[in-house]
Amino acid sequence: MFRICARTGGLRALHGAAASRGFGTKAAAPSRLRNVVWATSVAVLGGLGYVYVTDTRAGVHKYVATPLIRLMDPEDAHNLSIWCLKHGLGPVDRTDDADVLNIELWGKQMSNPVGLAAGFDKNGEAIDGLFNLGFGAVEVGSITPHEQAGNPRPRLFRVDESRAVINRMGLNNDGAQVCGDRIKSRFWRMLAAQSRRQGETVASLAAGVNRSARADRLLGVNVSKSKASVPESYSDYVDGLNELGAYADYVVINVSCPNVKNIRAGADVAVLESTIAAVVRARNQMPDYRPPIVLKIGPDNDRDQRRLIAQLAIDYRVDGIIATNTTLSRPHGMDDPNEVALQTGGLSGEPLRKMALETTRDMYRLTKGRIPIIGCGGISTAEDALQFAKAGASMIQIYSSMTYDGPGKVCEIKDGLVDLLKGRKWSDIVGEDARS
């Protein structure tokens, strides 16, 4: 009987344990399912959030991040932007450029005609971060033969009401050797990565690739004079070309910076001619690769001065002209209630647009369309870009507009151009005003 009771009790115990296990299993299953659903939702939302935040077209950059950054000191904000782009923390343009934006310049293909002007990345630190924003060309510099600290701070100012910037930076940069080593190292590093992916030798890739190390983008290097150089001397430009030219898709001679007293080539025709002649001669003597030489001029030249500059460019076979640099003048009608514009320095941004557009139009006509003109100054919309193209700009450059609208500005302009072109190609409208 005890055995029967024991057996019965044991069966009841086993039944109870099984039931307990069964109840536990039923309770745990919904809990595990909820965890899986929760984790999946977080992962999906996180992924979508990442894709959104890292897209140049995301409104968060224009309406949140950029206004917050503008609360900082202008130069500190600029340095933070460079640091983020240098370390891969900038947004990315993930959309292929429309065919109507494709252009050819100096025998090289570009996916779009929107470039970044010199002055943003003075030392060539954030080249790939800038290309990732969607630029067809990135121009670094100005770079001088020797390291320079530039002028004392404060030296960078925003004129918010006029969407303008004033700078008297004074060509602060790390010098040609340091910048050159940085640019060279990036070039060979990019080619080594391509070699591993494509199974080709680095040497074979180097023979046919752009100096940007990107098939449809150009890297420009802007060179200028050291502060201590003699005003009439052109040796700094030649030294900059020799140090940096082999790794540039084009080299810009900055003869028009208004913030350096010893740059006289922009105002003295004799000095300008000797400078152009020396740089072109040095380029022609380069043993292998010979980059196009581009002249950057100011907006304050009168018509006679422009005519002389155009003739020199033709005579010495300069490959391009950038119109224009910043101006020391203050265009009439600037909205400046806080009188920031009283600060000395070069003015850029929207108040410069009319002067830059006029100079672009004049230089295109004076060179009879034989020399590519790069329009630069106050461009902030697709409509502005289209105006410069019709005036004769083969390519445009922006910079100050990003201060106010953020890193998505380049894509905003490209998208707007596609709509405005209505199926026509950018290259078909270059110089249209001069032909009408």
Side-chain angles (χ1 to χ4, degrees):
M1 185 168 178
F2 288 119
R3 289 181 182 175
I4 293 173
C5 290
R7 187 175 295 176
T8 303
L11 288 172
R12 288 175 179 170
L14 288 171
H15 178 73
S20 177
R21 286 196 298 271
F23 289 136
T25 302
K26 290 178 182 177
S31 177
R32 282 199 297 271
L33 181 60
R34 281 196 301 271
N35 289 340
V36 170
V37 171
W38 173 253
T40 302
S41 300
V42 169
V44 170
L45 291 174
L48 291 173
Y50 173 81
V51 170
Y52 172 76
V53 170
T54 58
D55 192 318
T56 52
R57 290 172 172 80
V60 67
H61 303 298
K62 180 175 182 178
Y63 299 110
V64 179
T66 301
L68 287 175
I69 289 175
R70 282 212 312 274
L71 296 175
M72 300 173 61
D73 168 81
E75 189 166 349
D76 290 340
H78 176 266
N79 292 338
L80 175 62
S81 299
I82 289 291
W83 186 90
C84 289
L85 291 164
K86 176 181 177 180
H87 291 90
L89 300 178
V92 178
D93 178 13
R94 297 189 177 93
T95 304
D96 292 336
D97 289 329
D99 291 343
V100 295
L101 298 180
N102 298 169
I103 65 170
E104 181 179 309
L105 202 55
W106 307 304
K108 301 180 180 185
Q109 299 299 317
M110 291 175 60
S111 65
N112 73 80
V114 184
L116 175 70
F120 187 89
D121 187 4
K122 297 175 180 295
N123 297 306
E125 298 177 272
I127 294 170
D128 291 302
L130 289 163
F131 274 127
N132 288 342
L133 297 182
F135 285 107
V138 169
E139 187 177 316
V140 300
S142 257
I143 300 172
T144 55
H146 307 290
E147 179 183 3
Q148 293 191 156
N151 294 322
R153 294 180 66 166
R155 53 191 179 178
L156 186 62
F157 310 89
R158 304 186 196 99
V159 189
D160 291 336
E161 292 77 11
S162 293
R163 290 174 58 88
V165 174
I166 294 172
N167 92 83
R168 51 170 181 263
M169 302 296 288
L171 297 180
N172 54 305
N173 70 99
D174 292 340
Q177 183 173 347
V178 172
C179 293
D181 288 345
R182 188 177 290 133
I183 293 169
K184 293 173 194 174
S185 175
R186 172 197 168 270
F187 177 76
W188 292 115
R189 187 173 63 252
M190 294 280 287
L191 258 60
Q194 291 180 31
S195 174
R196 289 191 296 271
R197 287 195 304 269
Q198 301 174 17
E200 298 182 47
T201 65
V202 171
S204 64
L205 287 171
V209 74
N210 290 339
R211 266 35 189 181
S212 67
R214 298 186 179 223
D216 54 1
R217 310 292 168 105
L218 302 187
L219 175 64
V221 176
N222 185 303
V223 299
S224 196
K225 296 183 67 167
S226 293
K227 191 174 182 179
S229 298
V230 177
E232 293 79 11
S233 172
Y234 51 71
S235 61
D236 281 1
Y237 295 108
V238 173
D239 291 344
L241 170 67
N242 289 334
E243 182 69 38
L244 301 159
Y247 294 91
D249 288 304
Y250 63 96
V251 173
V252 180
I253 314 171
N254 183 5
V255 296
S256 53
C257 177
N259 298 312
V260 181
K261 294 179 180 179
N262 66 334
I263 294 183
R264 288 187 51 190
D268 188 316
V269 173
V271 176
L272 178 62
E273 182 171 9
S274 63
T275 299
I276 294 174
V279 172
V280 171
R281 183 168 59 249
R283 188 275 309 273
N284 292 342
Q285 292 172 353
M286 293 176 70
D288 300 310
Y289 173 73
R290 297 173 180 175
I293 300 298
V294 178
L295 185 68
K296 186 164 187 175
I297 65 173
D300 300 308
N301 298 302
D302 60 30
R303 188 67 189 273
D304 289 337
Q305 290 172 319
R306 292 174 192 166
R307 185 177 289 107
L308 288 170
I309 292 170
Q311 192 58 53
L312 288 174
I314 292 171
D315 291 346
Y316 288 95
R317 298 185 179 182
V318 169
D319 300 290
I321 297 172
I322 297 178
T324 66
N325 213 320
T326 59
T327 178
L328 288 176
S329 69
R330 300 294 182 261
H332 178 72
M334 279 185 62
D335 187 6
D336 181 31
N338 297 317
E339 298 186 335
V340 179
L342 295 178
Q343 294 287 344
T344 58
L347 174 76
S348 60
E350 292 187 7
L352 179 61
R353 181 170 57 242
K354 183 178 179 181
M355 299 172 70
L357 182 62
E358 180 184 332
T359 305
T360 297
R361 184 178 290 112
D362 264 3
M363 297 311 294
Y364 181 82
R365 288 173 173 164
L366 291 168
T367 58
K368 300 177 175 60
R370 292 159 58 183
I371 297 175
I373 309 297
I374 299 173
C376 179
I379 299 171
S380 61
T381 67
E383 289 78 8
D384 296 339
L386 197 69
Q387 272 193 311
F388 273 78
K390 290 181 176 181
S394 297
M395 182 177 105
I396 62 158
Q397 291 180 329
I398 65 172
Y399 174 2
S400 297
S401 59
M402 291 200 302
T403 300
Y404 293 97
D405 294 328
K409 175 53 69 175
V410 58
C411 287
E412 180 185 313
I413 290 175
K414 291 192 299 182
D415 293 345
L417 280 172
V418 172
D419 293 337
L420 292 172
L421 286 169
K422 298 178 180 178
R424 300 179 68 191
K425 293 185 176 180
W426 170 276
S427 54
D428 292 338
I429 66 167
V430 172
E432 190 173 79
D433 287 352
R435 297 193 297 269
S436 61

